[in-house]
Amino acid sequence: MFFLINIAWLLVAGYLTFNVLYLVVSALAGRLGKADDLPLTTTVDQLRRFAVLIPAYKEDSVILGSVLANLQQDYPADRYDLIVIADSFLPETLKTLSQYPIKVIPVHFEQSTVQKSISYALNSLPENEYDIVLISDADNHMAPDFLKRINQAFSQGWRVVQGHRTAKNTNTSVAVFDAMNEEINNNLFRAGQRALGLSASLIGSGMAFEPVLMKRALNQIQTVGGYDKELEMLLAVAGIRIGYLQDAIIYDEKVQNVAVFQRQRTRWIAAQLYFIKAYFKTGIQQLVRGNGEAFNTLVKSLLFPRMILLAVLGLMALISLLVGGQSMLLFAWGLLGLLMASLFISIPASLFQKITVRDFMVLPVLIFSMFRSLLNFKQAGKKFLHTPHAETSKPG
C-alpha cells in the first residue's frame, strides 16, 4: 500500500511540475520573443476581400453597437462585408439591422451552436467571392486598422492568423480578472507559442482563414462548444501553421459577474474534456508520425485550468507548513512561486493599474466557481451554454 501511495504521489507531483514548467517556458518565451507583426505599409500585393462573420445568438442588446463600431474600418468599404448570422433575433432587431450596409443571415436551429451558424453562413456565401473569412463575436469591436493588419499578414504568406483579443471593459472586479486571464492566455499560448516556433492557439474570435480551409475543417467538427480547439487540431494535422498578430487588436467584452463567469467556465471545461476524449488518440498518432504541432495541441488541452492549479498548489504549500518535510516544503512553495511568476510577467502593466485591494476579495469566489464548473460540466456537453453580454459600447 505504501508503495502505491508513493507511485500515486510521484504521478501527481510529476503532472503538477509539468504544468508549471510548461507555463513558465511559454511565459518567458512570450515576453522575450516576437509575434508575427510587421509595420503597416502603404503598399500591399492586393486588398483582399473579407467576409466578417458575426455569429450571434439572441444578442439583440449588443449587436447594433458592434455593427456601428466595426463599420469604422480603415479599409475600403467595398472590400469587406459585415455578415451578421442572426440566431433567434427579435423581428424589430432584424428590421433595424436592415437599415445598415451589412448582410444579415437569419437562422434558427433546434440546438444552437456557434459552429452551426458559421457553417451555415459559409455554405451560403458565393464561391470565390471572398479571399479571407474572419470570425468576430457579437460583442467584439475591431480596431480601425484590424483588417489592414490581417490583410498584410496574408500578404506575408499566412493562411490562418489569430488577432490580439483584449478586454473592452474592466468595470467590475470579475471583469478585471477576466481581462487579466485573457492577456495571460495571449502571452502563454499565442505570443509564447510563436516564439517557440509553434502555432498560436485559436481563441474563437478575431481569427482569419482562407475560406476553403475554414469550410473544410468546420465540416469535420461535431462538438457542442469549444469548436476553436477542434479547428486548431484539424489545421495542425493538415500541416497548417497559425500566426499571431499582437498589434491587430479586437476588443472583447469580459464577463461582469460571478454567475456568468461560472457558466462560461463550465462550457470551457466541458469543451476541454470533450477535446481530450475525442483527440487524445489523434495527438499520439500524430506524434508517432513526427507531427509535434498536433501533439502540442493535445498537450495544451491536458493542462490544468490555471485558477484550479493555483488553488491546488496554494493548498499544498499551506499543508507543507504544517505537516510536510523540507522536500515537500521546497516542492510546493517552489512550484507556487514559479506559477505566480509566470502569471505575473504575462499581465500587462496597464491591467495592474486597474486592480484594487477590494478586487482581490472576489478571487476566492472565482476559484470556488471554477471547482463548481468541474462538477457541472456535463450539462454543457449536452447543450450550448450561451454567455449573455451586457451593453458595453466603448473599450476601457
Side-chain angles (χ1 to χ4, degrees):
M1 178 64 72
F2 185 72
F3 174 75
L4 292 178
I5 292 176
N6 278 338
I7 293 296
W9 165 246
L10 287 174
L11 289 174
V12 170
Y15 175 64
L16 294 175
T17 301
F18 170 76
N19 271 259
V20 172
L21 291 181
Y22 191 100
L23 297 180
V24 168
V25 171
S26 298
L28 289 172
R31 276 287 165 254
L32 299 176
K34 293 183 179 180
D36 299 299
D37 304 90
L38 289 178
L40 274 178
T41 63
T42 55
T43 58
V44 292
D45 59 346
Q46 67 178 106
L47 290 171
R48 291 166 181 79
R49 186 158 167 72
F50 284 83
V52 181
L53 301 185
I54 308 175
Y57 175 71
K58 295 183 178 180
E59 296 284 12
D60 303 78
S61 64
V62 300
I63 192 62
L64 183 57
S66 294
V67 165
L68 292 173
N70 291 328
L71 284 172
Q72 306 305 311
Q73 283 294 296
D74 185 17
Y75 198 78
D78 62 343
R79 303 305 294 169
Y80 75 98
D81 288 323
L82 297 185
I83 304 172
V84 177
I85 313 163
D87 187 351
S88 306
F89 271 39
L90 298 172
E92 50 265 38
T93 305
L94 295 175
K95 183 178 179 180
T96 301
L97 290 174
S98 68
Q99 301 172 20
Y100 293 91
I102 64 173
K103 296 183 179 181
V104 180
I105 303 177
V107 297
H108 184 81
F109 303 104
E110 184 175 342
Q111 184 183 41
S112 295
T113 65
V114 174
Q115 58 269 32
K116 281 182 183 178
S117 290
I118 295 173
S119 293
Y120 185 92
L122 280 174
N123 291 325
S124 302
L125 299 180
E127 291 288 336
N128 304 317
E129 181 168 341
Y130 298 99
D131 304 300
I132 300 174
V133 171
L134 191 145
I135 309 300
S136 175
D137 278 349
D139 62 294
N140 287 174
H141 293 182
M142 297 182 289
D145 61 355
F146 190 78
L147 295 185
K148 269 188 174 181
R149 292 184 180 280
I150 299 293
N151 182 66
Q152 183 165 290
F154 274 69
S155 293
Q156 295 170 235
W158 288 103
R159 303 176 69 188
V160 182
V161 294
Q162 173 65 59
H164 180 180
R165 200 170 77 179
T166 193
K168 184 169 66 175
N169 61 298
T170 51
N171 55 322
T172 70
S173 298
V174 176
V176 170
F177 280 112
D178 199 20
M180 287 184 169
N181 183 67
E182 184 88 272
E183 293 302 343
I184 289 170
N185 282 332
N186 284 331
N187 188 57
L188 295 175
F189 301 122
R190 279 165 275 285
Q193 297 284 295
R194 289 300 303 130
L196 293 169
L198 300 164
S199 281
S201 294
L202 295 174
I203 199 172
S205 68
M207 50 187 191
F209 306 80
E210 285 185 356
V212 173
L213 289 180
M214 183 68 168
K215 188 180 292 187
R216 185 189 305 148
L218 277 180
N219 288 336
Q220 303 175 58
I221 290 176
Q222 300 297 324
T223 184
V224 173
Y227 79 102
D228 49 335
K229 301 310 171 193
E230 280 196 78
L231 194 55
E232 190 178 320
M233 174 62 89
L234 293 169
L235 290 171
V237 170
I240 307 297
R241 283 287 180 91
I242 303 169
Y244 174 56
L245 304 181
Q246 180 79 19
D247 297 331
I249 304 295
I250 184 166
Y251 296 98
D252 177 70
E253 183 182 317
K254 299 295 99 185
V255 296
Q256 300 182 41
N257 61 67
V258 175
V260 176
F261 177 90
Q262 182 177 318
R263 185 181 181 88
Q264 184 186 68
R265 266 49 180 188
T266 299
R267 189 178 79 239
W268 290 1
I269 289 173
Q272 182 175 351
L273 294 175
Y274 168 84
F275 179 86
I276 293 171
K277 181 180 178 180
Y279 286 96
F280 186 86
K281 183 178 179 180
T282 300
I284 300 300
Q285 289 174 338
Q286 290 297 311
L287 176 64
V288 172
R289 296 171 186 170
N291 188 344
E293 190 77 70
F295 180 68
N296 182 58
T297 302
L298 171 64
V299 169
K300 286 183 291 185
S301 73
L302 296 174
L303 298 175
F304 234 22
R306 283 189 308 276
M307 203 167 282
I308 295 177
L309 180 62
L310 185 62
V312 169
L313 291 177
L315 183 61
M316 283 180 58
L318 291 176
I319 292 174
S320 72
L321 290 175
L322 300 174
V323 298
Q326 186 176 9
S327 59
M328 183 179 178
L329 198 71
L330 290 173
F331 174 78
W333 284 96
L335 285 188
L336 181 61
L338 286 172
L339 174 61
M340 294 183 69
S342 69
L343 302 181
F344 183 85
I345 66 174
S346 297
I347 299 172
S350 58
L351 282 177
F352 279 119
Q353 296 172 4
K354 294 179 180 292
I355 200 163
T356 65
V357 174
R358 191 178 68 174
D359 291 329
F360 278 101
M361 296 176 64
V362 80
L363 187 56
V365 180
L366 296 181
I367 292 174
F368 179 71
S369 296
M370 287 296 299
F371 280 100
R372 291 191 63 182
S373 296
L374 285 175
L375 300 175
N376 300 330
F377 73 89
K378 286 187 178 180
Q379 62 177 303
K382 297 176 182 178
K383 64 178 181 178
F384 176 65
L385 295 182
H386 172 58
T387 301
H389 296 105
E391 192 166 1
T392 306
S393 59
K394 294 181 181 180

